[in-house]
Structures are given as C-alpha cells and as structure tokens.
C-alpha cells in the first residue's frame, strides 16, 4: 500500500542498537514523552492521569538523574522514566499503533541543522506507525519559525491534520515553558492527529527487540 505521506527518506532501523539496559514492554495502550528533561510534565501528567501509562524518555544523563530522583520520591506506578535515545527506544520497545498521545515539548530548536528537527527526520515516520488511530502528537515550541515550518511539513509532506493553540502565560508544564513564558516569549503548540487509515512504510514492523530474537 502507498504511504499516506510524501516523505522519501527511510529510517534504517537495522542500523539501530538497543538502548543500554533495555527492558521490553507489553503491548498495551500508553502515552510517550520524548525529551522529558527533568520530568516536570511527566510527573504532573502521571499524577493527574493515574489510569494512563506514560513512558517519558530523556537521553541526557544529568537531566535523567534529576527526573528519576523525583519519580522515585513520588512513586507513581503508571510513570516509567527511561534513560535512552527516543529513536532507538521507540524502535526496540513500541508496538504498532500503541501510542495514544506523544508529547514533544520544547524540543531543541536545532537551528544549525534543521534536518535534526523531528518533522524533518525519517524517525517521524516510524513514530507515526506507532501512533494509534486518532492518536495525537503534541508539539510545543517557543520558536515561531519552528512552528510554521512544522505546519508546512504537516500540510505538504506528512499530510496530517492539526490544530494550533497559543500557550497561556500562566502555563507551567515544563521547565523550559516556565523559562520562555517568564521572558515574555510566545509559546505555541501543534496538536497533530493521526487519522485512522493513515499508512506508513513501518506499519507491520514489530518492536526490534522481538524481530531480533
Ligand atoms: C530543550 S529541552 C526541553 C526539555 C523539557 N521537555 C522541557 O520543556 O523542559 C529538550 C530535551 O530533549 C532531550 N532530547 C532531545 N532529543 C532526544 C532524543 N532523541 N531522545 C531523548 N531525549 C532527547 C534533550 O536531552 C533535552 O533534555
């Protein structure tokens, strides 16, 4: 079947290595946070949604240590703090259509290498294959140019519906959000929906941890 999008480059999943100390997960509905930082949003979300499982991934050791310290104190059974690169972890752990909501809150702007922005990366297609029908990706940024580029890519390349909203100045979901709003910067969020019937070239790919056993 033809993919629903027009993105050509294909992620070479076979070049990926399993994250260190990788632990497989069950194929049950879950939410994912990519680039969780010190975990402020993940902790609030898990507390407010005790029946929802959240995997929150952070690759920087220092931030992850701050996150896991707080997560351990709070002891939330539905929150899983993961120290890994989100690309490899998603490929090894996540089943097709498993993710209900994916949060990407204030990703690095990657001003010098726009190919590293999530919607410019072949990884985005893999992520879409892991999204449930009608699942949503929440992408927030304080950089207007990042958001408008993402909108163009959603319209012309990924062909995905989305809504945009401005983040109120009282919002305080993440450390970066607090910092940007305190500086008077405009923060915006795209809420991207994956329609049922949307297809990618990874739709039948099982977690690599299963493929390689
Ligand atoms: C600008 S910070 C924002 C952190 C947090 N979301 C916030 O708003 O306070 C972006 C974070 O994403 C993490 N990150 C970037 N790419 C990642 C990846 N592929 N896997 C895991 N974490 C990643 C970085 O280490 C960094 O902590």
């Amino acid at each position: 079947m033809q993919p629903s999008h027009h993105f050509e480059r294909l992620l070479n999943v076979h070049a990926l290595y399993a994250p260190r100390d990788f632990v497989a997960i069950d194929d049950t509905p879950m939410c994912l946070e990519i680039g969780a930082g010190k975990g402020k949003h993940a902790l609030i979300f898990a507390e407010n949604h005790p029946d929802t499982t959240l995997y929150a991934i952070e690759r920087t050791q220092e931030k992850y240590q701050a996150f896991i310290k707080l997560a351990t104190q709070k002891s939330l059974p539905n929150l899983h703090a993961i120290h890994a690169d989100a690309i490899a972890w998603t490929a090894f752990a996540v089943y097709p259509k498993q993710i209900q909501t994916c949060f990407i809150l204030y990703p690095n702007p990657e001003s010098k290498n726009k190919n590293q922005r999530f919607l410019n990366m072949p990884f985005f297609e893999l992520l879409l294959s892991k999204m449930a029908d009608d699942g949503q990706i929440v992408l927030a940024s304080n950089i207007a140019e990042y958001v408008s580029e993402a909108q163009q890519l959603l319209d012309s390349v990924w062909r995905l519906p989305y809504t945009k909203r401005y983040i109120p100045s009282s919002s305080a979901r993440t450390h970066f959000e607090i910092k940007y709003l305190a500086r008077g910067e405009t923060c915006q969020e795209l809420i991207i929906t994956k329609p049922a019937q949307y297809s990618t070239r990874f739709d039948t790919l099982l977690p690599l941890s299963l493929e390689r056993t």
Side-chain angles (χ1 to χ4, degrees):
M1 197 205 283
Q2 285 290 313
S4 302
H5 60 78
H6 289 158
F7 193 86
E8 283 183 12
R9 280 181 297 140
L10 189 65
L11 180 68
N12 181 7
V13 288
H14 303 294
L16 295 171
Y17 291 96
R20 195 183 304 169
D21 304 325
F22 174 76
V23 177
I25 66 171
D26 292 335
D27 185 8
T28 52
M30 55 93 139
C31 296
L32 177 69
E33 183 168 349
I34 294 177
K38 295 178 182 175
K40 187 174 182 62
H41 173 265
L43 289 157
I44 296 170
F45 180 91
E47 242 170 354
N48 290 341
H49 302 85
D51 296 329
T52 303
T53 300
L54 175 67
Y55 289 88
I57 309 179
E58 173 52 50
R59 71 178 174 196
T60 305
Q61 168 78 0
E62 185 204 341
K63 289 182 184 174
Y64 172 76
Q65 287 306 332
F67 179 15
I68 194 72
K69 194 172 164 192
L70 287 171
T72 306
Q73 281 166 10
K74 294 244 177 183
S75 181
L76 297 162
N78 57 326
L79 174 61
H80 304 272
I82 308 284
H83 184 211
D85 183 282
I87 296 173
W89 189 85
T90 302
F92 274 82
V94 184
Y95 289 77
K97 297 193 178 191
Q98 192 182 358
I99 306 170
Q100 295 170 310
T101 306
C102 176
F103 299 97
I104 309 177
L105 303 178
Y106 305 95
N108 296 332
E110 308 290 358
S111 308
K112 292 194 182 132
N113 188 358
K114 293 184 182 175
N115 279 340
Q116 293 297 313
R117 294 180 175 179
F118 282 102
L119 272 72
N120 279 323
M121 290 165 73
F123 166 67
F124 195 70
E125 181 180 6
L126 179 72
L127 179 63
L128 286 172
S129 75
K130 309 290 187 184
M131 297 300 304
D133 291 346
D134 301 316
Q136 294 190 318
I137 299 173
V138 180
L139 176 67
S141 178
N142 62 321
I143 298 169
E145 184 260 337
Y146 190 112
V147 175
S148 61
E149 180 191 86
Q151 287 181 257
Q152 281 169 24
L153 290 164
L154 290 168
D155 290 335
S156 61
V157 177
W158 296 109
R159 303 169 83 203
L160 284 165
Y162 59 88
T163 55
K164 181 165 84 167
R165 75 171 188 117
Y166 288 86
I167 307 298
S169 58
S170 57
S171 187
R173 292 175 301 179
T174 79
H175 289 101
F176 277 76
E177 185 168 83
I178 292 168
K179 180 172 78 175
Y180 297 141
L181 291 173
R183 293 202 303 226
E185 295 180 19
T186 301
C187 295
Q188 303 175 73
E189 177 169 275
L190 298 177
I191 299 162
I192 305 158
T193 301
K194 177 189 172 187
Q197 315 301 332
Y198 190 93
S199 65
T200 79
R201 293 167 289 184
F202 292 115
D203 289 348
T204 57
L205 181 74
L206 289 173
L208 294 184
S209 57
L210 297 182
E211 298 251 326
R212 293 186 188 175
T213 51

